């Protein structure tokens, strides 16, 4: 890994993250097992409270949402303690290569969106690929979206302004959830915010031979292998598993996104946004030079990270003022 290719303010983070980024599928699987074991132990020792004051008039609630298989999905709800006029109802999906992570990872992003617009953000703790491969995570996210549609008013939000967003694998699940919503026709999404989404299981120039920090070719291949399970390598992988495979992109919700040009997902995201525009979908996207995967989260104080975060918050705020989608009745 040559750190000189990265933005100067990201080079230190790139060097540090490069030390812990797996270099093979085997080491990725070991890291995933360790990360999930640590997460489970931490949660057992310090359970998430049912209510938490985040300060500044914002609260975090824990809820349990019904799943189609009869189980329940844990979710966090981040919102203002004293509600004003109803605003957007946001389903925000955490990243982690479909294999690790929890909604707690995205509370900071949720807080920024709540502070900016007064929206209500629901963060689902979907089933990870190491527990159950596709379509478990997608079903959990879609069921959470249906729950949010039905409970938006009770949460202090608008059911005609549902938004789906997330980072990395959460961005992939965002795109897949919106594809499924279009296919089923029972939930209307006002717009989607898939940040540097993981959407293509097929190799691209940027996802081949990458030794980038945080997410590389080795981790990407291992991540898709775990998520797709027996479908991996098949020509029949559905678009709701790998959204870049969708042939028809017409009628999808507007897309707000960004990606770095020095990460594996660059080419698939750029190609996908170009195809969305050609299909008549509104897209606002940015490509940030010299940026590796999830740079905004790994080095939030870097100037380029602050610019990307400002792009997200400004675009989200503007679209909340402009866009809505009444629910089908």
């Amino acid at each position: 890994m040559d750190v000189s290719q990265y933005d100067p303010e990201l080079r230190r983070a790139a060097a540090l993250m490069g030390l812990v980024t797996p270099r093979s599928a085997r080491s990725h699987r070991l890291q995933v097992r360790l990360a999930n074991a640590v997460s489970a132990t931490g949660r057992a020792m310090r359970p998430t409270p049912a209510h938490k004051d985040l300060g500044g008039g914002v609260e975090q609630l824990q809820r349990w949402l019904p799943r189609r298989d009869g189980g329940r999905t844990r979710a966090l709800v981040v919102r203002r303690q004293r509600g004003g006029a109803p605003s957007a109802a946001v389903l925000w999906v955490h990243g982690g290569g479909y294999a690790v992570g929890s909604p707690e990872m995205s509370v900071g992003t949720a807080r920024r969106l709540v502070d900016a617009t007064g929206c209500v953000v629901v963060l689902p703790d979907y089933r990870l690929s190491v527990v159950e491969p596709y379509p478990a995570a997608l079903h959990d996210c879609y069921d959470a979206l249906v729950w949010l549609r039905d409970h938006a008013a009770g949460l202090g939000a608008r059911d005609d302004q549902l938004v789906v967003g997330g980072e990395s694998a959460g961005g992939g699940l965002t795109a897949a959830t919106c594809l499924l919503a279009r296919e089923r026709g029972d939930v209307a999404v006002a717009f989607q915010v898939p940040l540097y989404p993981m959407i293509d299981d097929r190799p691209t120039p940027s996802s081949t031979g990458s030794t980038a920090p945080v997410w590389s070719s080795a981790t990407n291949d291992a991540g898709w292998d775990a998520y797709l399970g027996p479908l991996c390598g098949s020509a029949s992988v559905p678009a709701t598993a790998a959204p870049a495979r969708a042939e028809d992109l017409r009628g999808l919700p507007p897309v707000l996104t960004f990606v770095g040009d020095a990460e594996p997902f660059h080419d698939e995201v750029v190609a996908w946004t170009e195809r969305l525009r050609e299909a008549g979908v509104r897209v606002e996207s940015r490509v940030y030079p010299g940026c590796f995967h999830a740079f905004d989260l790994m080095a939030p104080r870097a100037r380029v990270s602050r610019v990307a975060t400002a792009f997200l918050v400004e675009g989200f705020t503007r679209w909340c003022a402009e866009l809505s989608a009444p629910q089908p009745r």
Side-chain angles (χ1 to χ4, degrees):
M1 181 187 66
D2 178 12
V3 296
S4 66
Q5 67 182 301
Y6 301 114
D7 181 282
E9 292 188 40
L10 297 180
R11 289 172 187 170
R12 180 164 160 44
L16 292 173
M17 295 306 303
L19 296 175
V20 296
T21 301
R23 297 177 180 271
S24 68
R26 180 176 180 275
S27 59
H28 173 73
R29 289 191 291 268
L30 290 172
Q31 189 178 75
V32 165
R33 283 200 292 269
L34 177 61
N36 285 329
V38 170
S39 177
T41 301
R43 189 176 299 169
M45 295 178 64
R46 193 174 180 179
T48 301
H51 178 271
K52 183 178 181 180
D53 186 348
L54 299 180
V58 177
E59 64 182 354
Q60 172 187 295
L61 311 174
Q62 182 170 246
R63 293 287 184 266
W64 293 89
L65 317 184
R67 287 197 327 232
R68 65 187 64 192
D69 65 354
R72 298 189 303 167
T73 298
R74 185 178 72 95
L76 301 182
V77 178
V78 179
R79 66 179 185 179
R80 286 180 177 168
Q81 289 177 322
R82 293 193 180 110
S87 185
V90 183
L91 185 74
W92 195 268
V93 188
H94 72 80
Y98 298 107
V100 298
S102 70
E104 282 78 5
M105 292 168 50
S106 297
V107 168
T109 298
R111 174 66 189 268
R112 278 190 286 273
L113 301 181
V114 172
D115 286 342
T117 66
C119 65
V120 175
V121 184
V122 173
L123 306 107
D125 195 5
Y126 59 87
R127 282 171 288 177
L128 302 173
S129 62
V130 292
V131 175
E132 192 170 342
Y134 170 85
L138 174 62
H139 287 172
D140 293 351
C141 291
Y142 193 81
D143 292 348
L145 179 64
V146 171
W147 181 89
L148 180 56
R149 177 200 65 190
D150 295 342
H151 293 80
L155 293 169
R158 295 169 49 180
D159 75 350
D160 68 341
Q161 199 170 59
L162 295 187
V163 180
V164 186
E167 308 100 342
S168 190
L173 285 165
T174 293
T177 299
C178 290
L179 281 168
L180 187 57
R182 184 193 64 174
E183 178 183 303
R184 297 188 56 167
D186 56 357
V187 182
V189 176
F191 63 92
Q192 55 179 312
V193 191
L195 304 181
Y196 35 86
M198 184 175 175
I199 54 175
D200 203 339
D201 63 305
R202 301 163 299 185
T204 68
S206 66
S207 70
T208 303
S210 172
T211 58
V214 181
W215 199 252
S216 64
S217 295
T219 54
N220 197 44
D221 292 345
W224 279 115
D225 181 65
Y227 182 57
L228 296 178
L231 290 173
C232 190
S234 167
S236 59
V237 172
T240 49
R245 286 180 175 262
E247 295 181 1
D248 183 2
L249 300 178
R250 292 172 298 177
L252 287 170
V255 171
L256 178 70
T257 186
F258 66 81
V259 68
D261 73 351
E263 72 141 293
F265 297 159
H266 170 265
D267 289 1
E268 63 200 65
V269 173
V270 169
W272 183 61
T273 54
E274 289 175 351
R275 291 180 57 227
L276 284 163
R277 290 188 179 99
E278 290 170 359
V281 177
R282 180 177 176 180
V283 176
E284 289 191 21
S285 62
R286 295 288 185 275
V287 175
Y288 292 103
C291 293
F292 53 81
H293 187 64
F295 65 94
D296 58 316
L297 302 179
M298 300 301 159
R301 295 183 181 180
R303 182 181 179 278
V304 67
S305 299
R306 288 184 279 114
V307 168
T309 300
F311 167 74
L312 163 65
V313 174
E314 188 278 330
F316 180 87
T317 302
R318 179 163 40 82
W319 281 15
C320 281
E322 295 176 10
L323 302 177
S324 62
Q327 296 303 316
R329 301 299 182 186

